[in-house]
Amino acid sequence: MVEDVVNPAGEHSGQFGALGLHLADPRVEASVLGVLDRVEAHLRASVASADPLVTEAARHLLQAGGKRFRPLLVALGAQFGDPEAAQVVPAAVVMELTHLATLYHDDVMDEAAVRRGAPSANSRWTNSVAILVGDYLFARAADIAADLGPEAVRLQARTFARLVHGQIAETVGPRDTDPVAHYLHVIAEKTGSLIATSARFGGMFGGASPEHIEALAGYGEIIGVAFQLSDDLLDIASESVESGKTPGTDLREGVPTLPVLYALAADDSDAASVRLREILATGPLVDDALHAEALTLLRESPALKRARETVRSYAEDARARLAPLPEGPARRALESLCDYIADRTS
C-alpha cells in the first residue's frame, strides 16, 4: 500500500514537493492548505477517547506525520465545486482515518517493528491493542461519515470491503490467476480504492457535477495504482532512501513486486536473466551477497524496463481520466502528479 513519508503536520509546502504536486495558482494553494490544516486539527480531535491508552495509541501514527495524500485529493477534488463547502473537511478526515486504521492492521499482519520512523503500535503495545485501535479508527471514520449522509456511509463501507478483499487476495496468493494480474488487482483493491474514494468525496462534497465526480474517481483509482507501482521500482532502482525505506527491502523480505514478477515470468535465455530467476526463486534474500547480486541484476534487467513502461502507461491513463474536467490550476495540479510518477522512475 502507498505509504506516507515522514512529514510533521503543518509543513504542507514541503509535502507537495514530496508528492511531485505543483500548485501554481496562489488561490488554489491557499485553499488546499486551509483544508489540510483544518483536517489536521479535526484528526487530532477525532481520535480522542475517554480511555487515555486508546487516545495515546490512536494518536501514535497520526503524530508520526505523513503526506496526507488522501485528504489532499479530497481538497483538490473539491476545487471543481466549492472547496469551502462545510462537508469537505469531514470527508477528508473519514478517508485519512480509514487509511490510518489499515496501517495498524497491516503492521500486525506484517509483524512490522517500525512505521513512519517510529516503533509500530503492535511492537509498542502488542498485536491485540494495535488491532483494536485500528478497529476504533474505522469506527470513528464511520461515525463521521454518518454525519455526511447515507451515500457517504455506503461508499466508505464499500471501499473498506475492497480493502479487505485486497488484503485477503494478497494473503492467499494468486492461486490459479496470472501472478502479475493478481498483483495489479491487489494494488487496485488495497490502494487504488481508497484514493479513488478520496477524489470522489472531494467532488461530491464540493458540489461538482456528476460527470466531474466520476472523472475524479477514475483518476484517483489509477493514480493510486501508479504511485504504488512507482514505489516498487524505487525500492530497486533508487540508490537512496527516496522510497522511504532502504533500497532492496522488498527483495530482502521476499515481497513479489512488479519488476520481480516480470523477471520470474520472463523467458529470456541470456545468462543474467537466467541467474536472476534462479536467485529470485529462492524467496526472501536474507543473504547479503545474494541480495546484492539480485539487486544489481534487476537494475540492469529487461524486467525493470518493462515495469517502468507499465508505470508510465498507468500515469498516462490517469491523465486521460482528467479529460472531462475543466482546464485550470486544479486540473493542472492533478496532471503534475502524472508527470511526477512518469519521471521519478525513469
Side-chain angles (χ1 to χ4, degrees), residues 241-323:
V241 290
E242 183 182 354
S243 62
K245 56 189 177 183
T246 303
T249 297
D250 291 332
L251 274 179
R252 192 174 294 280
E253 296 176 354
V255 177
T257 57
L258 188 65
V260 170
L261 292 172
Y262 277 157
L264 286 170
D267 56 5
D268 303 278
S269 58
D270 60 284
S273 296
V274 171
R275 175 58 179 162
L276 178 58
R277 288 197 296 272
E278 289 176 352
I279 299 173
L280 294 177
T282 64
L285 297 177
V286 295
D287 179 85
D288 288 343
L290 281 178
H291 177 270
E293 184 181 1
L295 197 56
T296 298
L297 290 170
L298 261 176
R299 286 171 174 170
E300 300 171 355
S301 69
L304 185 60
K305 180 181 178 181
R306 184 180 177 190
R308 284 190 171 115
E309 292 169 352
T310 300
V311 171
R312 186 172 292 276
S313 71
Y314 271 93
E316 290 309 312
D317 187 3
R319 187 195 309 277
R321 303 299 179 105
L322 296 172

Side-chain angles (χ1 to χ4, degrees), residues 13-342:
S13 59
Q15 80 189 47
F16 292 160
L19 282 166
L21 178 71
H22 299 291
L23 293 173
D25 187 293
R27 289 174 298 179
V28 172
E29 181 175 15
S31 174
V32 171
L33 287 173
V35 169
L36 293 178
D37 283 338
R38 295 195 294 278
V39 166
E40 209 63 37
H42 201 327
L43 282 170
R44 288 194 295 270
S46 298
V47 300
S49 164
D51 187 318
L53 173 62
V54 175
T55 300
E56 181 185 11
R59 286 181 174 170
H60 180 63
L61 286 184
L62 184 64
Q63 293 171 337
K67 290 193 295 282
R68 304 291 187 250
F69 186 37
R70 293 146 195 84
L72 176 61
L73 280 185
V74 175
L76 286 171
Q79 296 294 321
F80 297 94
D82 176 10
E84 301 304 315
Q87 293 182 314
V88 170
V89 169
V93 171
V94 169
M95 292 293 92
E96 187 66 9
L97 287 176
T98 302
H99 171 59
L100 286 170
T102 66
L103 300 185
Y104 281 82
H105 288 177
D106 280 354
D107 284 347
V108 172
M109 296 190 67
D110 296 341
E111 299 179 349
V114 176
R115 168 73 71 173
R116 295 179 175 173
S120 61
N122 49 299
S123 66
R124 182 170 175 181
W125 285 286
T126 74
N127 284 343
S128 295
V129 169
I131 290 170
L132 292 169
V133 169
D135 292 344
Y136 171 70
L137 293 176
F138 275 125
R140 292 296 298 125
D143 191 10
I144 297 168
D147 291 334
L148 298 174
E151 185 63 13
V153 174
R154 183 178 298 109
L155 285 168
Q156 196 257 357
R158 289 177 177 174
T159 303
F160 184 25
R162 287 190 66 190
L163 289 165
V164 172
H165 275 100
Q167 187 62 66
I168 291 172
E170 182 178 57
T171 301
V172 301
R175 291 178 283 184
D176 296 329
T177 308
D178 171 70
V180 172
H182 171 265
Y183 183 66
L184 295 173
H185 169 72
V186 166
I187 293 177
E189 297 288 278
K190 285 189 61 179
T191 301
S193 62
L194 190 57
I195 294 174
T197 302
S198 298
R200 180 185 292 279
F201 268 19
M204 279 179 56
F205 295 109
S209 71
E211 180 187 18
H212 293 166
I213 292 169
E214 290 305 315
L216 287 164
Y219 167 86
E221 176 103 9
I222 303 302
I223 205 72
V225 174
F227 252 116
Q228 182 62 66
L229 292 178
S230 67
D231 278 352
D232 287 357
L233 269 65
L234 284 179
D235 181 62
I236 292 167
S238 176
E239 296 287 352
S240 65
V241 290
E242 183 182 354
S243 62
K245 56 189 177 183
T246 303
T249 297
D250 291 332
L251 274 179
R252 192 174 294 280
E253 296 176 354
V255 177
T257 57
L258 188 65
V260 170
L261 292 172
Y262 277 157
L264 286 170
D267 56 5
D268 303 278
S269 58
D270 60 284
S273 296
V274 171
R275 175 58 179 162
L276 178 58
R277 288 197 296 272
E278 289 176 352
I279 299 173
L280 294 177
T282 64
L285 297 177
V286 295
D287 179 85
D288 288 343
L290 281 178
H291 177 270
E293 184 181 1
L295 197 56
T296 298
L297 290 170
L298 261 176
R299 286 171 174 170
E300 300 171 355
S301 69
L304 185 60
K305 180 181 178 181
R306 184 180 177 190
R308 284 190 171 115
E309 292 169 352
T310 300
V311 171
R312 186 172 292 276
S313 71
Y314 271 93
E316 290 309 312
D317 187 3
R319 187 195 309 277
R321 303 299 179 105
L322 296 172
L325 299 174
E327 290 283 355
R331 175 170 161 178
R332 288 194 293 273
L334 295 173
E335 289 172 340
S336 73
L337 291 175
C338 302
D339 295 332
Y340 174 66
I341 290 173

